Amino acid sequence: MNWQKLDQKNIWHPFSPLSEKPVIQVKKGRGVYLQTIDNRWIMDCISSWWVNTHGHANKQISRAISKQSRKLEQVIFAGFTHEPAVKLSQLLLNLLPENQSKLFFSDDGSTSVEVALKLAIQYWKNLGKPRRKIIAIDGAYHGDTFGSMSVGERGIFNLPFFDFLFEVDFIPFPEGDGANSIAKMREMVSDDTALFIFEPLVQGASGMRMYTPEILDELLGIAKSKDIICIADEVMTGFGRTGKVFASDYLNHDPDIFCLSKGITGGFLPMGVTTVSQKITKTFDATDYAKTFFHGHSYTANPLACAAAVESLKILGNQKCKDQIEMISKKHEEFVSATKVPESIREIRSLGTILRIELRVNDPGYVSMIKEQIYDFFMSRNLLLRPLGHVIYVLPPYVIEPKELKKIYQAIHQFFEELEKK
Ligand SMILES: *Cc1c(COP(=O)(O)O)cnc(C)c1O
């Protein structure tokens, strides 16, 4: 059977033109590698869209899922609970800032954001003081459902839907010392602003764009002076990516709401979690149906996903994993400081396990012409480095070894040489 042909006939792939070139069939994953049906071993340098934290086919997580599947695969989560969900809630709340007091389960990053937005809006309703305005940051990506699209950058991702998105005010992305964003934030906040949503320290999809904790703290301070609900979308930055468990751990101001997904199950099963502070739960604490949060998903708190997440968090807590995260962060920093930045590069920067390289091009953005050239160059060396337009980034599973990182860095240098030749 030619599965690739059948795939092309039957399946619609995400973020891909329908007529794109044939896809690659993977039969096995092991650590940082993917094995294809024609026995190529491709290094997954981007953790398969930022989800795979502990390497492919991690045995410990795999065993936990298998064990749970023989006990309880799923149960309605209204009026019922189970051990993996409660265990996970304990582990998560222990890791998050102290103000976080409850968590709400959903299915993925987008739904964790939907839940956060709805909770923040209903918070003001429940208080009897409805607020109508929302602030987000230029270049933001919070997901592909309508609410999460609305708080995201208006661009190629959501162009056909502009007319159907709700109104949001955007502050500029903080460049340099962030003075541009801070000034705009001051101007924009009002007693009618319900919420401020942001990707803390790194904007993922817009090209791993980084800004400092000092700037974000300043923005949060301004928001908090008007009691605005601050929502940290840690869907990408969570679970060790930035060198700390959460990017918000670098901040002095605690967000009111956290959105979590991607790395939460170590990349095994989809799951979204939204956590909230007591300030918010208090206003929902009534038998009154008008103050109830009427939201839920069929697979809420799926026991298999919860078991995977519990195991993934256990691994994240091990000294070995912490050492790996530190090693990757250090290697990235060394690469940044040792690399002579060629003319064709606009910025090389890292934060924790994330390394970004922004090329100087005439058409910056997700659909930059150079995207395919980058992808093909690294794939021909069996390195999966799917760029965000003109931005190359490395975001590896934490089990990667120094010699494997070295191989990636060498290939990047070779790519620079290729660019300089032109
Ligand atoms: C990926 C991402 C989302 C959306 O998550 P999905 O699981 O793809 O729905 C939301 N916010 C951020 C910051 C993301 O990186």
Side-chain angles (χ1 to χ4, degrees), residues 117-397:
L117 297 173
K118 287 175 71 173
L119 282 173
I121 291 167
Q122 192 174 341
Y123 162 85
W124 290 110
K125 273 264 194 233
N126 284 358
L127 274 182
K129 295 185 273 190
R131 292 185 175 196
R132 297 200 48 86
K133 293 213 171 294
I134 291 175
I135 299 178
I137 304 182
D138 274 345
Y141 176 76
H142 295 291
D144 290 333
T145 51
F146 271 91
S148 59
M149 276 198 292
S150 296
V151 289
E153 166 92 1
R154 302 292 194 269
I156 187 83
F157 280 36
N158 47 36
L159 185 66
F161 316 110
F162 277 9
D163 289 351
F164 300 87
L165 304 180
F166 55 74
E167 198 182 305
V168 169
D169 295 322
F170 290 90
I171 57 167
F173 179 82
E175 301 285 355
D177 64 0
N180 57 334
S181 314
I182 292 162
K184 195 73 193 172
M185 186 74 173
R186 280 218 176 83
E187 208 181 292
M188 225 172 235
V189 292
S190 78
D191 293 330
D192 196 26
T193 311
L195 65 98
F196 168 46
I197 184 165
F198 52 92
E199 293 159 90
L201 309 191
V202 190
Q203 273 190 341
S206 77
M208 298 295 157
R209 293 203 292 178
M210 297 170 183
Y211 61 107
T212 66
E214 291 73 28
I215 297 171
L216 184 51
D217 259 327
E218 185 108 23
L219 295 172
L220 290 174
I222 298 166
K224 295 216 167 207
S225 73
K226 295 276 183 196
D227 292 324
I228 295 165
I229 300 296
C230 296
I231 303 175
D233 178 354
E234 294 245 16
V235 168
M236 187 280 288
T237 50
F239 307 107
R241 265 304 150 209
T242 65
K244 295 192 189 260
V245 179
F246 298 108
S248 301
D249 294 338
Y250 287 95
L251 303 172
N252 295 320
H253 286 295
D254 290 333
D256 302 292
I257 301 184
F258 281 78
C259 304
L260 308 171
S261 187
K262 291 210 166 99
I264 193 166
T265 65
F268 271 75
L269 288 161
M271 161 173 272
V273 168
T274 310
T275 72
V276 294
S277 66
Q278 206 164 17
K279 172 178 161 177
I280 293 171
T281 55
K282 256 193 338 215
T283 68
F284 288 81
D285 202 3
T287 44
D288 184 356
Y289 274 130
K291 291 191 173 175
T292 301
F293 187 52
F294 280 109
H295 185 110
H297 300 277
S298 317
Y299 280 92
T300 295
N302 173 254
L304 305 182
C306 289
V310 166
E311 212 56 35
S312 178
L313 287 182
K314 274 190 204 158
I315 299 172
L316 190 71
N318 291 343
Q319 193 55 42
K320 197 172 153 200
C321 184
K322 290 180 187 165
D323 290 346
Q324 277 294 111
I325 290 174
E326 207 176 301
M327 180 277 289
I328 300 165
S329 308
K330 246 214 195 100
K331 293 276 172 201
H332 280 352
E333 280 166 26
E334 282 167 19
F335 174 82
V336 172
S337 54
T339 302
K340 199 175 135 276
V341 183
E343 187 53 33
S344 51
I345 305 300
R346 192 169 167 266
E347 185 187 60
I348 303 184
R349 185 166 170 178
S350 76
L351 179 68
T353 69
I354 309 168
L355 171 68
R356 86 182 294 264
I357 296 148
E358 183 177 352
L359 307 191
R360 209 182 286 284
V361 292
N362 295 327
D363 61 342
Y366 192 79
V367 290
S368 175
M369 294 279 288
I370 198 148
K371 177 180 165 166
E372 294 223 351
Q373 188 192 332
I374 299 171
Y375 185 77
D376 293 345
F377 179 90
F378 290 104
M379 276 300 275
S380 71
R381 286 159 177 76
N382 286 328
L383 299 171
L384 170 55
L385 273 174
R386 192 175 190 274
L388 290 156
H390 68 302
V391 178
I392 302 170
Y393 69 94
V394 183
L395 193 149

Side-chain angles (χ1 to χ4, degrees), residues 73-77 82 105-107 270-271 296-306:
E73 82 303 337
Q74 171 66 11
V75 64
I76 178 173
F77 208 60
H82 49 80
F105 288 98
S106 62
D107 296 341
M271 161 173 272
H297 300 277
S298 317
Y299 280 92
T300 295
N302 173 254
L304 305 182
C306 289

